[in-house]
Amino acid sequence: MRGLRLIESSSSDDDASSSSSDDIISDDSTGSDAGGSSSSKGDGPAIDHLFDSLSIAPVNNTACGPTTSQAKKTLMPHQRAGVEWLLGLYNVRSGAILADDMGLGKTYQVASFVQALFQRKMARRVLIVAPKTLLGAWENEVWTELGMEMAVYGGTQRATSKRERLLIMDDIASRGGILMMTYGLVQRDAEVVRTHVSHDEDEGPFWDVVVMDEGHTLKNTGNKTRAEIEKVDARMRLLITGTPIQNNLMELHSLFDLVKRGLLGDASEFKDTFERPIKRGTSKDATRREQDAGAMASVSLQKTYAPFMLRRTKEDVMGTSGSGGGGSNPASSFFKKDIVVWLRLTDAQLGLYKAFLRSKSVREVLNQNRAALASLTVLKKICKHPMLLSDDLLGLEGTEAG
């Protein structure tokens, strides 16, 4: 297919929640052997046998160039395991959540998975939905690193016509390939990307895979963008997130309901079976019986979702935890070296820093009349470079507190 690219829309994407993750569920069961358990609920069959070593053999495909040799050289052991896990779930038409820590290459794993599907001629069409800020990262992984072509669906003042948008879908429908768009555009043009007039529904879903990057932004079931994405049928829904739980367990249910509906029951059943017992069992005044019931519910929940969510931390991958994961330690091929360099503030930075500490904003924080985050952000900007400050803050130097 053509490497067609249109100007991106200015439609705003849904903001991700900034609250911290709640450590109610242990990640132990969703590590490197996450795909080895069979589900105790839902419609997924046992899939232990699907996770044997899968070679990604180079096969010519008109939509994607044969670049697997490059992928095999650059895929790290944990990334290759992730690709194999995704291929196994795709084979049984199951949705999945890839929830590795930031920095472990989630985008590259999914891009390599998509490449393997095309090269094996297991898929024709893939839709990737991501926040606007991540389009460049996807372009780098899909186009630059793996050499695959993709179309970027867009539309602003220079490309707003419905005809241009339909031409992209015509190309995808006839020749197959990868289509990328933002969440804002899904909400606006869901009718256009949902399917194509030429598609025969008896052949199955129009899209083979729908990838949802930063998928935790869809946790709110009342979200309009989520409602439109739910209407886009696909053989496999793949959600990417580094924070599958940010505030409470119901968010986990919401995400799984998007990729594998019914796995964890409906919302009411999930609350009764899992959320309430776990929450009560972890409260400080819980009885021993409540603690035991909560622990049993937590284990049951982990066993249920473990085959369909892969979460590995940097400690797991780099082997610093000492557990080793029961297999070959990938730490030997995954090194990260942090170098800390201490720098002194310049005279101008120091003057601004001290002046801001004397400001009304900081006094209000110290008096607990104002949140501290905004003031801490200003201090960080001063330390990075004064030009990051707004004009009104640049005049702080020499200002005395009144």
Side-chain angles (χ1 to χ4, degrees), residues 26 85 119 133 163 167 215 220 227 230 250 259 283 301 330 352 374:
S26 167
W85 175 75
Q119 291 182 331
T133 54
R163 179 177 177 275
L167 281 175
N220 184 355
E230 286 181 327
M250 291 308 298
V259 300
S283 62
L301 176 59
L352 285 169

Side-chain angles (χ1 to χ4, degrees), residues 3 6 10 16 24 27 42 77 85 87 102 129 138-139 186 205 215 231 242 247 250 253 266 282 323 352 357 399:
L6 299 182
S10 59
I24 299 176
D27 292 328
W85 175 75
L87 286 170
M102 180 184 296
V129 188
W138 275 102
E139 262 194 89
V186 169
K231 298 175 185 176
N247 299 303
M250 291 308 298
H253 174 271
D266 60 27
T282 55
S323 61
L352 285 169
L357 290 178
T399 303

Side-chain angles (χ1 to χ4, degrees), residues 244-258:
I245 302 177
Q246 292 184 307
N247 299 303
N248 56 68
L249 277 177
M250 291 308 298
E251 294 177 0
L252 185 70
H253 174 271
S254 176
L255 296 184
F256 268 110
D257 215 38
L258 185 60

Side-chain angles (χ1 to χ4, degrees), residues 194-206 233:
R194 190 175 301 165
T195 187
H196 192 265
V197 292
S198 66
H199 180 65
D200 185 356
E201 293 184 0
D202 292 337
E203 298 177 359
F206 178 75
D233 197 14

Side-chain angles (χ1 to χ4, degrees), residues 5-319:
R5 177 176 176 82
L6 299 182
I7 304 302
E8 185 52 45
S9 170
S10 59
S11 303
S12 61
D13 299 319
D14 300 305
D15 293 330
S17 170
S18 59
S19 52
S20 61
S21 176
D22 200 350
D23 294 326
I24 299 176
I25 295 182
S26 167
D27 292 328
D28 292 344
S29 66
T30 55
S32 59
D33 60 347
S37 303
S38 60
S39 173
S40 60
K41 295 180 72 174
D43 57 348
I47 55 176
D48 303 59
H49 63 287
L50 294 172
F51 298 95
D52 297 331
S53 178
L54 298 173
S55 61
I56 306 178
V59 178
N60 280 322
N61 183 278
T62 56
C64 304
T67 57
T68 303
S69 58
Q70 179 184 1
K72 290 180 74 173
K73 291 179 182 177
T74 57
L75 277 173
M76 297 176 184
H78 76 280
Q79 293 172 331
R80 186 171 182 81
V83 173
E84 294 172 354
W85 175 75
L86 289 170
L87 286 170
L89 290 179
Y90 181 82
N91 281 334
V92 294
R93 303 177 70 90
S94 173
I97 297 178
L98 181 60
D100 285 345
D101 264 357
M102 180 184 296
L104 295 184
K106 294 188 291 291
T107 303
Y108 191 53
Q109 289 178 70
V110 174
S112 299
F113 160 64
V114 171
Q115 181 194 46
L117 291 180
F118 279 114
Q119 291 182 331
R120 297 177 177 195
K121 299 185 179 180
M122 296 167 62
R124 292 200 66 219
R125 306 179 191 95
V126 173
L127 174 64
I128 299 174
V129 188
K132 188 186 304 183
T133 54
L134 296 182
L135 291 182
W138 275 102
E139 262 194 89
N140 180 65
E141 301 292 7
V142 174
W143 198 320
T144 306
E145 293 294 329
L146 297 177
M148 293 187 288
E149 294 181 356
M150 65 179 179
V152 181
Y153 185 97
T156 57
Q157 291 83 356
R158 287 184 282 177
T160 55
S161 73
K162 185 175 181 179
R163 179 177 177 275
E164 288 174 321
R165 301 197 297 272
L166 290 176
L167 281 175
I168 296 177
M169 286 299 294
D170 289 343
D171 193 54
I172 292 289
S174 63
R175 303 178 62 192
I178 305 168
L179 178 65
M180 166 160 266
M181 64 191 305
T182 65
Y183 284 109
L185 286 174
V186 169
Q187 183 175 334
R188 190 192 76 178
D189 288 352
E191 291 292 337
V192 178
V193 299
R194 190 175 301 165
T195 187
H196 192 265
V197 292
S198 66
H199 180 65
D200 185 356
E201 293 184 0
D202 292 337
E203 298 177 359
F206 178 75
W207 297 104
D208 292 296
V209 182
V210 172
V211 178
M212 297 161 283
D213 201 356
E214 295 294 316
H216 53 268
T217 60
L218 302 171
K219 64 187 178 184
N220 184 355
T221 55
N223 183 294
K224 292 182 179 179
T225 303
R226 174 185 171 124
E228 296 300 338
I229 287 182
E230 286 181 327
K231 298 175 185 176
V232 181
D233 197 14
R235 172 174 172 164
M236 178 186 194
R237 292 178 181 272
L238 171 56
L239 189 145
I240 307 173
T241 177
T243 52
I245 302 177
Q246 292 184 307
N247 299 303
N248 56 68
L249 277 177
M250 291 308 298
E251 294 177 0
L252 185 70
H253 174 271
S254 176
L255 296 184
F256 268 110
D257 215 38
L258 185 60
V259 300
K260 194 169 178 62
R261 187 178 296 276
L263 174 68
L264 301 179
D266 60 27
S268 177
E269 181 183 0
F270 182 82
K271 284 183 179 180
D272 293 339
T273 307
F274 298 117
E275 190 207 25
R276 290 193 181 107
I278 293 173
K279 189 174 181 180
R280 182 59 193 160
T282 55
S283 62
K284 63 180 181 180
D285 59 341
T287 65
R288 180 59 182 269
R289 183 175 181 177
E290 289 171 332
Q291 292 175 354
D292 291 343
M296 289 178 62
S298 179
V299 171
S300 176
L301 176 59
Q302 292 175 42
K303 287 182 177 179
T304 302
Y305 73 68
F308 312 103
M309 184 169 85
L310 182 60
R311 175 162 178 79
R312 295 162 296 183
T313 66
K314 291 180 181 177
E315 288 75 17
D316 294 333
V317 171
M318 299 179 70

Side-chain angles (χ1 to χ4, degrees), residues 345 349 352-357 359 361-362 365 370-390 392-394 396:
L345 297 180
Q349 287 174 301
L352 285 169
Y353 198 98
K354 290 180 177 179
F356 185 71
L357 290 178
S359 69
S361 298
V362 174
V365 171
R370 184 173 184 162
L373 182 59
S375 296
L376 290 173
T377 301
V378 172
L379 292 173
K380 286 172 62 178
K381 288 182 177 180
I382 292 173
C383 292
K384 291 178 180 178
H385 199 288
M387 291 303 292
L388 295 173
L389 298 174
S390 58
D392 55 333
L393 290 173
L394 282 174
L396 277 173

